[in-house]
C-alpha cells in the first residue's frame, strides 16, 4: 500500500480539484437553500396525583407529593404526539393550507398540510425530564405559533381525557347514590308499617348501614365534582416558544467544513484506487 504522503504528491492536483469543486457546489447549495427557523416550547409533566381522587383527598398529601410529575409521565404524551390528529388540528387552527400554498380545492389539503407540519416537528423528552416541542419553518413567527399550538393541543387532549373519565365516574356515582336513597326510603317505610321486634331490629340495622353508605356516596360525589370542576392539567408549560432571532438551518460553516473533510476522504480513496490500477498495469 503506497504511503499517503507519496500518494498525495502524485495526485495532489486531482485531489485538490475535487475538494475545490465540492466546496464550490456546497457553498452554492448552502446559500441558495431557504433558511429554516427553530422554535421550541418546553413543559414539565403535571403530577399524576392531581388526577387521582384517592390521592388528592388523601391525608398529608402536600407534604408527600410534588406538584410536578416524573419524566415517566411524559411517555404517554410522547405517544400521543405521533398521532395525525394533533397535527391536523393545528393545521386547521393556523390555516397551514394557505401558509404552505397547498391547493385548497384538494380534498386532502388539510392532511397534506398536517403531513408537512409533522415532518418539520420533533417532540422529545429531554435529559432533564422536560417535554420539548421543536418546529422548523421558513417563517420565524409561524414556527413559534406552531410549537405553542402543538403543546397546547397535547395538554388539551390529556386534560380532556382525564376530565371525561371523571365525568363518567361522577355520573355512575350519581345514579348509584339515587338508588341508595330509594332503598333507604323503602327501609323507613317498612319500619313505619311493622310491629315485629325482630324485624324492627333488622330494619334498624339495615337503615344504619344504608345511611352510612349514603354518606360515603355524598362524600365521593363532592370529591369527584371538585375534580371535574378543577380540570387538572397534564402539562405545565414553563417556556412558550418565541420567534427565533437567527436561522437554525442551514449551518454554513459546519456544512462547508464537513464537506471539505468528506471530499478529502473520498479524493484520497479515489487516488488510492487509481494508484493501485496504475501499479497493476505497470
Amino acid at each position: 500500500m503506497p504511503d499517503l504522503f507519496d500518494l498525495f504528491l502524485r495526485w495532489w492536483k486531482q485531489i485538490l480539484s475535487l475538494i475545490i469543486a465540492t466546496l464550490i457546489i456546497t457553498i452554492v447549495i448552502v446559500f441558495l437553500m431557504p433558511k429554516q427557523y427553530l422554535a421550541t416550547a418546553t413543559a414539565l409533566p403535571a403530577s399524576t396525583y392531581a388526577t387521582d381522587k384517592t390521592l388528592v383527598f388523601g391525608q398529608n398529601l402536600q407534604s408527600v407529593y410534588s406538584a410536578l410529575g416524573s419524566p415517566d409521565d411524559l411517555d404517554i404524551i410522547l405517544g400521543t404526539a405521533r398521532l395525525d390528529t394533533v397535527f391536523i388540528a393545528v393545521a386547521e387552527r393556523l390555516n397551514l393550507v394557505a401558509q404552505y400554498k397547498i391547493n385548497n380545492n384538494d380534498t386532502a389539503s388539510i392532511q397534506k398540510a398536517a403531513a408537512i407540519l409533522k415532518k418539520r416537528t420533533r417532540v422529545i423528552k429531554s435529559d432533564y425530564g422536560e417535554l420539548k416541542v421543536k418546529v422548523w419553518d421558513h417563517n420565524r413567527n409561524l414556527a413559534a405559533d406552531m410549537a405553542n399550538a402543538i403543546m397546547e393541543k397535547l395538554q388539551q387532549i390529556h386534560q380532556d381525557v382525564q376530565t371525561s373519565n371523571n365525568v363518567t365516574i361522577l355520573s355512575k356515582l350519581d345514579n348509584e347514590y339515587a338508588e341508595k336513597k330509594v332503598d333507604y326510603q323503602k327501609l323507613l317505610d317498612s319500619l313505619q308499617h311493622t310491629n315485629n321486634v325482630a324485624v324492627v331490629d333488622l330494619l334498624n340495622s339495615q337503615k344504619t348501614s344504608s345511611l352510612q353508605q349514603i354518606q360515603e356516596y355524598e362524600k365521593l360525589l363532592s370529591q369527584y365534582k371538585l375534580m371535574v370542576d378543577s380540570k387538572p392539567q397534564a402539562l405545565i408549560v414553563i417556556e412558550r416558544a418565541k420567534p427565533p432571532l437567527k436561522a437554525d438551518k442551514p449551518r454554513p460553516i459546519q456544512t462547508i467544513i464537513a464537506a471539505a473533510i468528506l471530499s478529502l476522504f473520498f479524493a484520497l480513496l479515489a487516488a488510492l484506487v487509481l494508484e493501485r490500477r496504475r501499479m497493476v498495469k505497470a
Side-chain angles (χ1 to χ4, degrees):
M1 180 176 180
D3 183 82
L4 288 179
F5 183 74
D6 294 336
L7 182 68
F8 183 79
L9 288 178
R10 280 192 291 271
W11 296 90
W12 70 270
K13 290 183 180 180
Q14 293 84 346
I15 293 174
L16 190 59
S17 298
L18 179 58
I19 293 174
I20 292 174
T22 303
L23 290 178
I24 291 174
I25 294 172
T26 302
I27 291 171
V28 171
I29 293 175
V30 164
F31 284 99
L32 287 180
M33 287 178 62
K35 295 181 179 179
Q36 291 192 16
Y37 297 89
L38 170 62
T40 304
T42 305
L44 290 172
S47 175
T48 52
Y49 297 105
T51 61
D52 189 335
K53 189 278 307 176
T54 60
L55 294 171
V56 167
F57 296 98
Q59 295 181 350
N60 302 321
L61 172 73
Q62 295 180 352
S63 62
V64 177
Y65 299 118
S66 168
L68 300 178
S70 69
D72 292 338
D73 296 330
L74 294 176
D75 291 342
I76 189 172
I77 297 176
L78 289 174
T80 306
R82 299 186 180 95
L83 300 177
D84 290 339
T85 304
V86 175
F87 298 97
I88 290 174
V90 174
E92 290 176 342
R93 172 180 168 183
L94 299 179
N95 192 20
L96 295 186
V97 171
Q99 293 287 350
Y100 293 151
K101 298 180 181 179
I102 299 174
N103 184 3
N104 199 33
N105 295 325
D106 189 345
T107 55
S109 58
I110 194 66
Q111 285 86 352
K112 291 180 179 179
I116 294 173
L117 173 59
K118 188 174 184 179
K119 186 177 179 180
R120 296 180 178 181
T121 301
R122 284 187 63 203
V123 181
I124 63 171
K125 179 169 64 174
S126 73
D127 295 336
Y128 299 99
E130 301 165 327
L131 182 73
K132 289 185 175 290
V133 176
K134 297 185 175 184
V135 179
W136 286 264
D137 196 80
H138 305 313
N139 184 319
R140 67 182 75 198
N141 294 317
L142 183 59
D145 291 341
M146 290 189 295
N148 289 326
I150 292 172
M151 183 69 80
E152 291 168 6
K153 186 61 181 178
L154 291 173
Q155 150 63 22
Q156 177 199 334
I157 288 174
H158 287 274
Q159 185 180 45
D160 289 349
V161 167
Q162 184 58 47
T163 299
S164 176
N165 182 55
N166 285 334
V167 168
T168 300
I169 295 175
L170 180 61
S171 176
K172 291 181 179 179
L173 286 173
D174 199 32
N175 292 334
E176 292 175 4
Y177 174 66
E179 293 176 1
K180 293 293 182 184
K181 290 180 67 176
V182 170
D183 292 341
Y184 181 74
Q185 187 60 47
K186 289 180 179 178
L187 286 173
L188 293 180
D189 293 341
S190 297
L191 279 170
Q192 293 176 355
H193 296 86
T194 183
N195 294 321
N196 188 306
V197 177
V199 173
V200 169
D201 290 340
L202 177 61
L203 290 175
N204 279 324
S205 176
Q206 292 177 346
K207 185 186 76 170
T208 302
S209 176
S210 179
L211 182 61
Q212 290 176 347
Q213 290 179 7
I214 289 175
Q215 291 172 344
E216 286 295 325
Y217 270 92
E218 288 175 347
K219 182 179 178 181
L220 286 171
L221 283 169
S222 65
Q223 292 173 352
Y224 270 102
K225 285 179 181 178
L226 179 59
M227 293 291 292
V228 170
D229 293 339
S230 63
K231 295 182 179 180
Q233 292 185 331
L235 291 170
I236 301 173
V237 178
I238 58 175
E239 185 177 70
R240 289 177 58 81
K242 303 179 184 65
L245 299 177
K246 61 181 181 179
D248 182 68
K249 298 178 181 179
R251 300 177 181 179
I253 296 177
Q254 295 93 323
T255 304
I256 292 171
I257 292 174
I261 294 173
L262 289 174
S263 62
L264 175 60
F265 172 78
F266 284 110
L268 288 173
L269 183 62
L272 181 61
V273 173
L274 293 173
E275 180 68 15
R276 179 171 295 179
R277 287 184 178 179
R278 186 184 66 82
M279 292 174 65
V280 170
K281 290 181 180 180

